[in-house]
């Protein structure tokens, strides 16, 4: 094995088979590792890294069989290759080969290279991409002489594995330790803030980027566009979009998808037409466009763009594209067409597609097709209680209480429990959470008094309660009481009595908004003359002047559209993310709501923007 290599020449490795793709790895000498500074370039952080990088040779990344390399040979090579020993952890990252990766890590430890920041960053990246965040953090903590790239790697590990609050906390530690963030750092941490719609932190990071000269860096601006859109400030997102020096395709996609998630269908399609004059749309663009059509109920336009994507742009439809079309067909009552489209798919249907069909069966009361969809979902997600609950609701709509009992019996046998509805609203830097029928809040009396006041005004305005969303075999009066105490209503009532007139409210819910609450909030927005934004598990609803942005064309399934939103955060994560108290009812109830320490299902846009950048 030679001790030095010619620049830009492939690095020969012992006993490796044919290699099929490349990864740039920085060139280094054969001197022992040190705790000093190193080149700031690393494949583990997003490609938005804007640091000065030295010339690099191309190092071949091995295929799966290359991981069978004799570790004794690797041990001899390590002393000569030094930082080039990162090739095998990176190969394990690309292949998610965690067992081989741990073997390589053990060998790196025995040979004394674990404390090297370059090798350490490769190990952090490997563990992160294999989903082992705890192991990544252990490697990070053992390296005392850290550099910006190592910090970026660990922040990205948290952000890309559903731990946005930890990513934000580590970003704070990084800045307090005297390190200047890079573009990659800011893109990653802004994306983390977007994942949980943490607007206070997102605005704080926005201000930080402005004070440190990143205001006009387009990649940072694009991440901010995504963050503001996910946090309900779509107008601010558009203003940032219009100020971009160069609108790259990822910027157009972020804004189109932002409009789509808020139900602004016409704005999304107009922007798409503008985009076509400058850039060729990609598959993510069409996910945004088709999602906008789905949310707006635009059947003809949806088919037009679906066919345009395949014929004019030669883009093969993915599961996300098919999910949008199945959702659009299903909502329109064309269930047989939706089912046939699933059977004709070139890609393998996933839970999102079958979930969209199951939801459509609930909307239109198709029990037979709903049972078929649930069978497929059980094969894919046997432990997702939401799917069973949806079929139970279909049975309840049809008056089949025996079927409801059978579903509940099956859930009990599998140890599954229905998620308890929970809504929360931020008031004066404090997040207040509410359960169904919650009376534990310190201002509970005032909250219910406000609901009573609004209820009287709503009846005068023509509101009639709709108890159909209550799928229980009980009397109508009891059903009305159940609807009356829904968590989103409690959160809205608290927001109204706790903020000045005219203040916009943003309420988040871990499940979908029921039909009656959707109607009630329209009345409330008209009565109090406020904009009320409700972000449920499927989409944003903007209520203003008695109308909703969804045009009453609502998505109803928690897993309907893999493009849009998932929720997955614990109460501790919410508390860490906001850095404030989280006021909610009894702790035992909260644990049930959140499913332990890792639930509320995390908000994430398809093709995570931090990774795309």
């Amino acid at each position: 094995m030679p001790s030095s290599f010619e620049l830009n020449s492939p690095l020969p490795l012992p006993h490796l088979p044919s290699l099929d793709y490349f990864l740039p790895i920085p060139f280094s000498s054969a001197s022992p590792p040190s705790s000093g500074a190193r080149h700031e370039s690393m494949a583990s952080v997003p490609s938005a890294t804007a640091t000065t990088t030295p010339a690099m040779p191309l190092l071949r990344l091995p295929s799966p069989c290359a991981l069978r390399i004799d570790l004794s040979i690797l041990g001899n090579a390590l002393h000569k290759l030094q930082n080039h020993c990162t090739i095998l952890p990176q190969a394990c990252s690309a292949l998610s080969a965690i067992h081989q990766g741990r073997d390589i890590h053990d060998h790196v430890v025995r040979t004394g290279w674990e404390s090297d920041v370059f090798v350490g960053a490769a190990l952090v990246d490997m563990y992160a991409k294999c989903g082992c965040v705890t192991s990544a953090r252990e490697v990070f903590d053992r390296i005392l002489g850290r550099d910006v790239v190592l910090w970026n790697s660990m922040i990205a590990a948290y952000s890309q594995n559903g731990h946005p609050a930890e990513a934000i906390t580590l970003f704070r530690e990084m800045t307090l330790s005297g390190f200047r963030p890079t573009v990659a750092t800011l893109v990653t941490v802004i994306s983390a803030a977007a994942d949980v719609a943490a607007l206070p932190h997102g605005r704080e990071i926005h201000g930080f980027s402005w004070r440190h000269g990143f205001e006009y860096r387009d990649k940072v601006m694009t991440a901010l566009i995504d963050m503001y859109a996910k946090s309900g400030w779509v107008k601010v997102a558009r203003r940032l979009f219009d100020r971009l020096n160069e609108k790259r395709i990822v910027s157009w996609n972020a804004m189109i998808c932002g409009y789509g998630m808020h139900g602004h269908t016409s704005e999304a399609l107009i922007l798409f037409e503008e985009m076509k004059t400058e850039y060729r749309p990609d598959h993510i663009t069409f996910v945004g466009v088709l999602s906008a059509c789905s949310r707006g109920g635009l059947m003809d336009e949806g088919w037009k763009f679906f066919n345009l994507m395949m014929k004019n742009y030669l883009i093969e439809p993915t599961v996300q594209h098919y999910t949008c079309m199945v959702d659009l067909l299903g909502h329109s009552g064309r269930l047989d067409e939706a089912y046939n489209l699933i059977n004709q798919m070139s890609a393998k249907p996933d839970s999102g597609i079958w979930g969209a069909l199951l939801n459509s069966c609930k909307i239109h009361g198709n029990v037979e097709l709903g049972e078929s969809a649930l069978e497929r979902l059980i094969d894919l997600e046997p432990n997702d209680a939401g799917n069973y609950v949806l079929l139970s609701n279909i049975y309840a709509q049809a008056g089949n209480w025996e079927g409801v009992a059978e579903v509940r019996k099956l859930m009990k046998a599998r140890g599954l429990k229905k998620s308890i509805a929970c809504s929360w609203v931020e008031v004066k830097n404090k997040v207040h959470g509410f359960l169904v029928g919650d009376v534990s809040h310190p201002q509970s009396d005032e909250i219910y008094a406000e609901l009573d006041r609004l209820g009287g005004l709503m009846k005068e305005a023509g509101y009639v309660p709709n108890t159909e969303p209550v799928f229980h075999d009980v009397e109508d009066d009891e059903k009305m009481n159940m609807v009356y105490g829904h968590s989103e209503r409690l959160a809205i009532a608290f927001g109204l009595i706790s903020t000045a007139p005219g203040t916009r409210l943003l309420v988040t819910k871990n499940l979908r908004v029921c039909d009656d609450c959707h109607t009630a909030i329209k009345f409330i927005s008209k009565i109090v003359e406020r904009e009320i934004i409700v972000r449920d598990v499927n989409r944003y609803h903007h209520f203003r002047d008695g109308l909703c942005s969804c045009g009453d064309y609502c998505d109803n399934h928690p897993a309907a559209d893999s493009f849009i939103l998932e929720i997955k955060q614990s109460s501790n994560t919410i508390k860490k993310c906001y850095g404030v108290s989280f006021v909610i009812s009894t702790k035992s109830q909260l644990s049930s709501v959140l499913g332990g320490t890792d639930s509320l299902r995390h908000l994430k846009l398809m093709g995570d923007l931090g990774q795309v950048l």
Side-chain angles (χ1 to χ4, degrees), residues 267-537:
E267 290 88 344
L269 299 186
I270 290 171
L271 197 63
F272 172 71
E273 294 300 325
E274 293 179 16
M275 173 191 176
K276 289 195 300 182
T277 64
E278 298 187 29
Y279 281 96
R280 182 181 179 85
D282 63 8
H283 67 286
I284 296 177
T285 314
F286 279 102
V287 170
V289 169
L290 292 175
S291 180
C293 293
S294 175
R295 277 158 170 64
L298 304 180
M299 177 64 66
D300 293 338
E301 289 81 356
W303 276 118
K304 182 187 77 172
F305 289 120
F306 187 76
N307 292 324
L308 180 73
M309 174 185 72
M310 293 187 293
K311 295 178 180 179
N312 290 37
Y313 294 96
L314 304 178
I315 297 174
E316 186 72 19
T318 65
V319 170
Q320 288 77 22
H321 300 116
Y322 281 113
T323 300
C324 295
M325 294 306 300
V326 169
D327 190 57
L328 178 57
L329 288 166
H331 269 76
S332 302
R334 297 159 67 169
L335 297 176
D336 290 337
E337 290 183 53
Y339 185 70
N340 291 335
L341 181 63
I342 294 175
N343 291 329
Q344 297 168 7
M345 283 176 52
S346 57
K348 183 179 179 180
D350 68 353
S351 59
I353 286 182
W354 290 113
L357 181 63
L358 179 59
N359 173 65
S360 298
C361 292
K362 173 187 171 295
I363 295 172
H364 299 286
N366 191 320
V367 177
E368 183 179 354
L369 194 55
E371 290 174 334
S372 177
L374 181 63
E375 288 179 7
R376 310 297 175 85
L377 282 168
I378 290 176
D379 291 338
L380 296 168
E381 297 178 334
N383 297 320
D384 188 339
N387 297 325
Y388 299 85
V389 171
L390 205 52
L391 181 61
S392 175
N393 293 344
I394 294 175
Y395 284 140
Q397 281 179 320
N400 183 359
W401 298 109
E402 292 182 1
V404 172
E406 286 297 322
V407 173
R408 291 177 179 173
K409 182 179 179 180
L410 179 60
M411 290 178 64
K412 185 176 181 180
R414 292 174 178 256
L416 303 176
K417 293 183 179 181
K418 177 182 177 180
S419 298
I420 301 176
C422 175
S423 298
W424 57 96
V425 61
E426 182 193 354
V427 175
K428 298 177 182 178
N429 293 325
K430 183 176 291 186
V431 180
H432 298 257
F434 300 87
L435 305 180
V436 178
D438 199 343
V439 294
S440 63
H441 194 278
Q443 295 176 255
S444 182
D445 291 341
E446 295 95 320
I447 291 170
Y448 280 96
E450 177 67 6
L451 284 178
D452 288 338
R453 184 185 75 85
L454 291 172
L457 295 173
M458 289 162 59
K459 287 182 180 178
E460 291 178 8
Y463 165 71
V464 178
N466 174 15
T467 59
E468 288 185 4
V470 181
F471 301 112
H472 296 278
D473 191 12
V474 297
E475 297 297 327
D476 287 344
D477 288 346
E478 189 173 349
K479 288 183 177 181
M480 289 177 63
N481 290 333
M482 290 180 177
V483 172
Y484 176 77
H486 278 188
S487 61
E488 58 266 52
R489 297 197 192 196
L490 299 176
I492 290 171
F494 173 74
L496 292 175
I497 65 175
S498 304
T499 58
T503 303
R504 187 182 68 165
L505 298 180
L506 173 60
V507 174
T508 307
K509 185 175 181 179
N510 68 325
L511 303 176
R512 78 171 187 88
V513 177
C514 79
D515 296 338
D516 183 68
C517 286
H518 188 271
T519 301
I521 299 170
K522 288 195 294 182
F523 276 91
I524 293 172
S525 70
K526 179 72 172 179
I527 291 169
V528 300
E529 298 181 345
R530 295 207 202 187
E531 180 181 8
I532 301 173
I533 302 174
V534 179
R535 181 182 192 177
D536 70 7
V537 76

Side-chain angles (χ1 to χ4, degrees), residues 141-154:
D141 289 339
R142 292 192 191 105
I143 300 175
L144 301 180
R146 300 166 186 163
D147 67 355
V148 173
V149 177
L150 184 61
W151 283 97
N152 286 356
S153 299
M154 193 61 235

Side-chain angles (χ1 to χ4, degrees), residues 20 29 53 73 90 172 182 191 195 202 205 218 221 226 243 259-260 272 299 319 322 368 423 446 451 465 612:
D20 38 26
S29 65
T53 306
I73 298 176
Q90 289 169 353
R172 284 203 187 98
T182 63
S191 297
D195 284 343
I205 298 166
D218 287 346
M221 293 273 281
D226 179 54
R243 291 169 54 190
Y259 276 135
F272 172 71
M299 177 64 66
V319 170
Y322 281 113
E368 183 179 354
S423 298
E446 295 95 320
L451 284 178
V612 174

